Amino acid sequence: MEAKIREGILHDIVHFGLRIVIGVAFIVHGFEKFDPVFAGYMPSFGIPTEMAPLIALAEIIPGTLIIVGVLSRIASSLLATIMMGAIFVVLKASSYTGQMGYEYPLILLAANLMVIVIGPGRISLSHIIKKIPRVLQ
């Protein structure tokens, strides 16, 4: 038996909506990381302060790529890696819910894994261009 995503318009819209939610979440959180207050917290997580702008860009750029549907698998892979770091390095996977819970990063990790597996979908720049190899979608 073969797993196949249905090819109806409703599925396309829902998949596009998922990409928008993921992209917006990372763009918003990425811009927050340019705040010097956030950079001040980074040493308490064991991350150098100088990494704040790089982490911010590593969230903003892939978030934008996911929304438009270009290089979405690669962008989601990067964001999934960032979420693994958030879960295991920053939050230390100590509590599922609560103040330092990893529930939200885990949901974002799962959503990015969905994009990696499914790809950008038919409502995407990759689908419109059609010349982009599947591995780069």
Side-chain angles (χ1 to χ4, degrees), residues 8 15-16 30 60 63 66 70 73 79-80 85 89 98 103-105 110-111 115-117 119 123 136-137:
H15 185 69
F16 181 54
I60 294 168
I66 288 173
V70 175
R73 285 187 167 105
L79 295 175
V89 175
E103 177 182 26
Y104 181 65
V115 173
I116 292 168
V117 171
I123 303 175
L136 295 179
Q137 292 182 0

Short mmCIF file of all heavy atoms in Angstrom, two decimals, residues 8 15-16 30 60 63 66 70 73 79-80 85 89 98 103-105 110-111 115-117 119 123 136-137:
data_model
loop_
_atom_site.label_atom_id
_atom_site.label_comp_id
_atom_site.label_asym_id
_atom_site.label_seq_id
_atom_site.Cartn_x
_atom_site.Cartn_y
_atom_site.Cartn_z
N GLY A 8 -6.67 17.18 -3.79
CA GLY A 8 -7.78 18.11 -3.87
C GLY A 8 -7.37 19.51 -3.46
O GLY A 8 -6.34 19.71 -2.82
N HIS A 15 -2.34 22.63 3.30
CA HIS A 15 -0.87 22.52 3.29
C HIS A 15 -0.23 23.90 3.19
O HIS A 15 0.74 24.20 3.88
CB HIS A 15 -0.42 21.64 2.13
CG HIS A 15 1.04 21.37 2.10
ND1 HIS A 15 1.66 20.59 3.04
CD2 HIS A 15 2.00 21.81 1.27
CE1 HIS A 15 2.95 20.56 2.78
NE2 HIS A 15 3.18 21.30 1.71
N PHE A 16 -0.79 24.76 2.35
CA PHE A 16 -0.28 26.13 2.25
C PHE A 16 -0.46 26.86 3.58
O PHE A 16 0.43 27.58 4.03
CB PHE A 16 -1.02 26.86 1.11
CG PHE A 16 -0.57 28.28 0.90
CD1 PHE A 16 0.76 28.59 0.70
CD2 PHE A 16 -1.50 29.31 0.88
CE1 PHE A 16 1.17 29.90 0.49
CE2 PHE A 16 -1.10 30.63 0.68
CZ PHE A 16 0.24 30.92 0.48
N GLY A 30 12.22 35.05 15.01
CA GLY A 30 13.54 35.47 14.54
C GLY A 30 13.78 36.95 14.78
O GLY A 30 14.84 37.34 15.27
N ILE A 60 14.54 33.63 10.23
CA ILE A 60 13.81 34.53 9.33
C ILE A 60 13.91 34.08 7.87
O ILE A 60 12.89 33.99 7.17
CB ILE A 60 14.33 35.98 9.48
CG1 ILE A 60 13.99 36.50 10.87
CG2 ILE A 60 13.75 36.88 8.40
CD1 ILE A 60 14.69 37.80 11.23
N GLY A 63 12.10 30.74 7.26
CA GLY A 63 10.67 30.98 7.43
C GLY A 63 10.06 31.61 6.20
O GLY A 63 8.98 31.23 5.75
N ILE A 66 9.91 29.00 3.34
CA ILE A 66 8.80 28.05 3.52
C ILE A 66 7.49 28.67 3.06
O ILE A 66 6.68 28.02 2.42
CB ILE A 66 8.73 27.57 4.98
CG1 ILE A 66 9.90 26.63 5.26
CG2 ILE A 66 7.41 26.88 5.28
CD1 ILE A 66 10.05 26.22 6.69
N VAL A 70 9.90 27.80 -1.77
CA VAL A 70 11.15 27.58 -2.49
C VAL A 70 12.16 27.03 -1.50
O VAL A 70 12.30 27.56 -0.40
CB VAL A 70 11.68 28.89 -3.12
CG1 VAL A 70 13.03 28.68 -3.75
CG2 VAL A 70 10.69 29.43 -4.13
N ARG A 73 12.10 22.17 1.69
CA ARG A 73 12.61 21.01 2.41
C ARG A 73 13.92 21.34 3.13
O ARG A 73 14.13 20.96 4.27
CB ARG A 73 12.82 19.83 1.46
CG ARG A 73 11.53 19.17 1.05
CD ARG A 73 11.81 17.90 0.25
NE ARG A 73 10.61 17.12 0.11
CZ ARG A 73 9.90 17.05 -1.01
NH1 ARG A 73 10.28 17.71 -2.08
NH2 ARG A 73 8.81 16.31 -1.05
N LEU A 79 15.26 24.53 10.16
CA LEU A 79 14.40 24.91 11.28
C LEU A 79 14.14 23.73 12.22
O LEU A 79 14.06 23.92 13.44
CB LEU A 79 13.08 25.48 10.76
CG LEU A 79 13.21 26.80 10.00
CD1 LEU A 79 11.88 27.22 9.41
CD2 LEU A 79 13.80 27.89 10.87
N ALA A 80 14.07 22.52 11.69
CA ALA A 80 13.93 21.34 12.54
C ALA A 80 15.17 21.17 13.41
O ALA A 80 15.05 20.84 14.61
CB ALA A 80 13.70 20.09 11.69
N GLY A 85 17.72 21.89 18.83
CA GLY A 85 18.59 22.63 19.74
C GLY A 85 17.79 23.31 20.84
O GLY A 85 18.20 23.32 22.00
N VAL A 89 19.10 21.71 24.04
CA VAL A 89 20.14 22.58 24.58
C VAL A 89 19.54 23.67 25.47
O VAL A 89 19.95 23.84 26.62
CB VAL A 89 20.97 23.22 23.44
CG1 VAL A 89 21.97 24.21 24.00
CG2 VAL A 89 21.69 22.14 22.63
N GLY A 98 4.64 23.91 30.80
CA GLY A 98 5.08 24.84 31.84
C GLY A 98 6.01 25.91 31.30
O GLY A 98 6.18 26.08 30.09
N GLU A 103 6.87 21.78 24.71
CA GLU A 103 5.69 21.45 23.93
C GLU A 103 5.64 22.24 22.60
O GLU A 103 5.46 21.66 21.53
CB GLU A 103 4.44 21.75 24.76
CG GLU A 103 3.15 21.50 24.03
CD GLU A 103 1.93 21.85 24.90
OE1 GLU A 103 2.06 22.70 25.81
OE2 GLU A 103 0.87 21.27 24.63
N TYR A 104 5.78 23.55 22.65
CA TYR A 104 5.71 24.39 21.46
C TYR A 104 6.85 24.09 20.47
O TYR A 104 6.59 23.89 19.28
CB TYR A 104 5.69 25.87 21.86
CG TYR A 104 5.59 26.83 20.71
CD1 TYR A 104 4.45 26.87 19.91
CD2 TYR A 104 6.63 27.71 20.41
CE1 TYR A 104 4.36 27.76 18.85
CE2 TYR A 104 6.54 28.60 19.36
CZ TYR A 104 5.40 28.62 18.58
OH TYR A 104 5.31 29.49 17.52
N PRO A 105 8.11 24.01 20.93
CA PRO A 105 9.16 23.63 19.98
C PRO A 105 8.95 22.25 19.37
O PRO A 105 9.27 22.02 18.20
CB PRO A 105 10.44 23.65 20.82
CG PRO A 105 10.13 24.58 21.94
CD PRO A 105 8.67 24.40 22.22
N ALA A 110 7.62 18.96 14.63
CA ALA A 110 6.73 18.04 13.90
C ALA A 110 6.21 18.69 12.62
O ALA A 110 6.14 18.04 11.57
CB ALA A 110 5.58 17.61 14.80
N ALA A 111 5.84 19.96 12.68
CA ALA A 111 5.33 20.66 11.49
C ALA A 111 6.41 20.75 10.42
O ALA A 111 6.14 20.56 9.23
CB ALA A 111 4.83 22.04 11.88
N VAL A 115 6.67 19.20 6.44
CA VAL A 115 7.06 19.91 5.22
C VAL A 115 8.22 19.18 4.54
O VAL A 115 8.26 19.07 3.31
CB VAL A 115 7.44 21.38 5.51
CG1 VAL A 115 8.02 22.07 4.29
CG2 VAL A 115 6.22 22.14 6.02
N ILE A 116 9.15 18.64 5.32
CA ILE A 116 10.26 17.88 4.74
C ILE A 116 9.73 16.68 3.96
O ILE A 116 10.16 16.41 2.85
CB ILE A 116 11.25 17.43 5.84
CG1 ILE A 116 11.97 18.64 6.44
CG2 ILE A 116 12.26 16.43 5.27
CD1 ILE A 116 12.74 18.32 7.71
N VAL A 117 8.78 15.98 4.54
CA VAL A 117 8.25 14.77 3.91
C VAL A 117 7.36 15.10 2.71
O VAL A 117 7.49 14.51 1.64
CB VAL A 117 7.47 13.92 4.94
CG1 VAL A 117 6.72 12.78 4.27
CG2 VAL A 117 8.42 13.38 6.00
N GLY A 119 6.89 18.18 1.14
CA GLY A 119 7.40 19.16 0.19
C GLY A 119 6.58 20.43 0.23
O GLY A 119 5.74 20.62 1.11
N ILE A 123 0.57 24.85 -4.06
CA ILE A 123 0.47 26.31 -3.95
C ILE A 123 1.84 26.80 -3.46
O ILE A 123 2.05 27.06 -2.29
CB ILE A 123 -0.65 26.73 -2.98
CG1 ILE A 123 -1.99 26.15 -3.43
CG2 ILE A 123 -0.73 28.25 -2.89
CD1 ILE A 123 -3.14 26.41 -2.48
N LEU A 136 15.36 20.01 -4.27
CA LEU A 136 15.52 21.42 -3.89
C LEU A 136 14.21 22.12 -3.59
O LEU A 136 14.18 23.29 -3.30
CB LEU A 136 16.27 22.18 -4.99
CG LEU A 136 17.71 21.76 -5.23
CD1 LEU A 136 18.31 22.57 -6.35
CD2 LEU A 136 18.53 21.88 -3.96
N GLN A 137 13.12 21.40 -3.71
CA GLN A 137 11.82 22.00 -3.43
C GLN A 137 11.66 22.12 -1.95
O GLN A 137 10.87 22.69 -1.38
CB GLN A 137 10.70 21.18 -4.05
CG GLN A 137 10.72 21.22 -5.54
CD GLN A 137 9.56 20.44 -6.15
OE1 GLN A 137 8.74 19.87 -5.47
NE2 GLN A 137 9.52 20.43 -7.45
#
